[in-house]
Amino acid sequence: RCPILVRAAVLLAAWLLPGQALAQKRNIIRDAEIEALLREYALPLFRAASIPANAGEVVIVSSSKINAFVSSGQRIYVHTGLITEADTPNEVIGVLAHEIGHIAGGHHARSRDEIARASIGQVASMIAGAAAIAGGVATGNSDVSKAAVGLMRGGQGAFQRNFLRYAREQESAADQAALRYLEATGQSAKGLLRLFERLSDQMLVAVRNIDPYVMSHPLPRERINLLADSVSRGRYYNTPDAPELVLRHQLAQAKILAYLGRPSTIQRRYGAGDTGLPATYARAITYFRGGDIDRAIVEIDRLIAALPAYPYFHEIKGQALLESGRARQAIPILEHAIKLAPNAPLIRILLAQAMISTNDPALIDRAITQLLRAMQHEGRSSAGYRFLAIAYGRKGDTGRAELASAREYAIRGDLSQARAFAKRAKEKLPRGGTEWQVADDIENIKRK
């Protein structure tokens, strides 16, 4: 079992360090297909937890590590490694149910309150130990981790015990909540248990080999045994994932591996004789990434022939054509993708990009229409506002172009540039109008 000081350190690191990692926005990735899949996994669980469907959100983090966590609010961060390493959709769904249990229980805020009640000295010693252990884990240096434990021994034991008590209570509560949500939605908790059992075995090896999910969710054997008993008594214990959901899970895995991995990874995972849809998808993306567009299109057309109603095959074909300089050819392909997935704002943004890329003035108004529709439902895409600024600029509508740029920079966190563009936009927009008010709000954003 992991020593108590190490467990306390990694728990504290889980609450204090993820925000720092997420500040590096390159780790956050956007993908219409995978976001739609995770949303389909999560929405019934959010409803079961009485969390409004439009309030909960799942964000994808580019990392090969198995991890998922709640940072603040009602947003769950899921590492791509959790998706690629999960054998079934049910494993991912189980983890989401557990994290939603943390959200419904307000656990993040409660842990922050517990930390806030501690003295500066207690927190300082724990933070120093947590940071050092995190550094040892990241570099694989066990000496650093051992030294960190020594550093933490200087901290006050009472705070460590209280923090661990809160953590144990929260983990147990999240487990029980997950079981309720899965039962309420007619799903098995077997996947959650299987993943926990696999990760708990890592507690027996060196700290540097432990996945982040183990660090943020300590998995003692007693907890696993208790969970196993409850899971086995569930009404839906033997309910399998729907075959269509399994295929979408496998397609998401193929996409992630093809985009984020190396060609050799694809060759190992999918043999040359594998003609299944996930293997074909992975090869198509690999060809696309390698610049062999014609070969990629051949593979994508095979995918479309097999599943003509799957919008994301059309999306990737349009993207391949667009990025190879064939924007006009991409437009009808992406329009068809939108017909199949009308609530996919990221595809609308891609369609608008294709329209703008043709340099055809006759397509600018259509591009703006697509972007405005997309941005009604898309709050995190700086690219949408960037293309909107380009489109308005080509129409000579400078005020709206500068407002779009202000919104782009605000999303990216560059408040200096956001304020500068907002100030210029206000000079050109009708004073007191809705758009002027938005620009004024951006100009007066205060840095937190």
Side-chain angles (χ1 to χ4, degrees):
R1 188 180 303 173
C2 197
I4 190 167
L5 285 173
V6 176
R7 290 177 61 198
V10 296
L11 269 171
L12 190 62
W15 290 110
L16 298 179
L17 299 181
Q20 299 173 13
L22 291 172
Q24 302 175 8
K25 294 198 174 185
R26 65 179 180 274
N27 289 336
I28 304 296
I29 62 174
R30 303 299 311 278
D31 182 82
E33 178 181 11
I34 300 172
E35 287 180 7
L37 180 62
L38 292 176
R39 190 161 51 246
E40 187 167 326
Y41 288 166
L43 281 180
L45 301 170
F46 277 123
R47 285 195 289 267
S50 299
I51 296 173
N54 60 349
E57 186 178 14
V58 183
V59 178
I60 307 167
V61 179
S62 175
S63 171
S64 61
K65 298 296 184 181
I66 298 175
N67 200 12
F69 58 89
V70 178
S71 178
S72 60
Q74 296 178 342
R75 181 175 289 178
I76 302 172
Y77 294 88
V78 173
H79 282 208
T80 52
L82 173 61
I83 301 170
T84 57
E85 295 304 313
D87 292 331
T88 65
N90 189 243
E91 291 187 16
V92 180
I93 292 168
V95 170
L96 290 174
H98 179 90
E99 297 306 318
I100 290 170
H102 281 305
I103 293 174
H107 296 165
H108 188 276
R110 287 176 56 197
S111 290
R112 292 284 184 182
D113 290 343
E114 179 66 14
I115 294 169
R117 282 194 291 269
S119 71
I120 293 175
Q122 290 170 335
V123 175
S125 66
M126 289 289 284
I127 290 175
I133 284 181
V137 170
T139 60
N141 191 330
S142 59
D143 291 336
V144 172
S145 296
K146 291 176 182 177
V149 173
L151 176 64
M152 289 179 58
R153 293 188 193 280
Q156 299 296 319
F159 171 58
Q160 296 165 11
R161 288 193 298 273
N162 286 339
F163 192 79
L164 283 171
R165 176 174 57 81
Y166 271 91
R168 285 193 296 268
E169 291 173 355
Q170 290 174 2
E171 290 305 315
S172 178
D175 286 346
Q176 295 307 309
L179 296 182
R180 292 196 303 274
Y181 304 154
L182 291 166
E183 190 78 5
T185 54
Q187 300 181 91
S188 174
K190 187 185 296 185
L192 175 66
L193 178 62
R194 184 184 299 118
L195 185 66
F196 277 9
E197 287 177 331
R198 191 193 325 166
L199 292 177
S200 70
D201 291 340
Q202 296 185 43
M203 302 288 278
L204 303 176
V205 300
V207 171
R208 63 188 174 88
N209 292 325
I210 297 178
D211 261 302
Y213 204 83
V214 176
M215 294 174 64
S216 56
H217 298 70
L219 303 170
R221 178 46 57 182
E222 308 94 279
R223 176 182 162 205
I224 297 292
N225 292 339
L226 180 63
L227 186 63
D229 181 62
S230 298
V231 168
S232 64
R233 288 187 278 107
R235 284 183 296 168
Y236 304 101
Y237 178 71
N238 289 315
T239 300
D241 291 312
E244 184 263 350
L245 206 60
V246 172
L247 175 59
R248 290 176 62 190
H249 175 72
Q250 293 170 345
L251 290 173
Q253 290 178 317
K255 191 174 201 177
I256 291 168
L257 292 170
Y259 269 115
L260 302 182
R262 300 177 180 178
S264 57
T265 304
I266 300 304
Q267 293 170 2
R268 287 195 302 271
R269 180 89 172 227
Y270 307 103
D274 190 341
T275 59
L277 293 182
T280 304
Y281 203 18
R283 282 193 290 270
I285 295 170
T286 302
Y287 295 146
F288 169 32
R289 287 185 61 208
D292 193 344
I293 301 300
D294 291 337
R295 201 172 178 188
I297 294 297
V298 169
E299 297 293 338
I300 295 170
D301 283 342
R302 288 176 182 163
L303 294 168
I304 292 173
L307 284 180
Y310 193 62
Y312 308 106
F313 291 158
H314 299 275
E315 178 198 18
I316 199 166
K317 181 176 182 178
Q319 183 182 358
L321 290 169
L322 171 60
E323 294 188 13
S324 63
R326 291 178 262 181
R328 196 171 291 276
Q329 288 179 249
I331 291 172
I333 306 297
L334 293 171
E335 287 177 329
H336 187 64
I338 286 294
K339 288 181 181 178
L340 295 171
N343 298 318
L346 293 181
I347 302 180
R348 288 191 186 276
I349 293 170
L350 189 63
L351 172 58
Q353 181 186 354
M355 292 174 172
I356 293 168
S357 297
T358 64
N359 295 314
D360 184 348
L363 294 176
I364 292 300
D365 284 336
R366 289 173 58 190
I368 290 173
T369 298
Q370 292 295 336
L371 289 167
L372 291 176
R373 288 191 63 181
M375 301 317 288
Q376 287 176 354
H377 308 285
E378 175 52 55
R380 294 191 290 123
S381 174
S382 61
Y385 285 114
R386 182 169 68 255
F387 292 121
L388 196 56
I390 293 170
Y392 278 132
R394 293 199 183 164
K395 283 177 63 71
D397 192 341
T398 310
R400 287 192 173 95
E402 289 177 336
L403 175 57
S405 292
R407 299 181 81 159
E408 174 198 353
Y409 283 111
I411 291 173
R412 289 167 55 181
D414 188 340
L415 298 187
S416 176
Q417 285 283 67
R419 293 190 192 102
F421 275 102
K423 182 178 181 180
R424 293 202 292 270
K426 285 171 61 180
E427 295 170 356
K428 302 175 181 68
L429 295 168
R431 184 176 181 81
T434 301
E435 291 168 314
W436 186 93
Q437 291 287 355
V438 172
D440 187 62
D441 290 342
I442 294 174
E443 187 183 12
N444 290 288
I445 290 176
K446 302 296 183 185
R447 187 178 296 277
K448 294 182 179 180

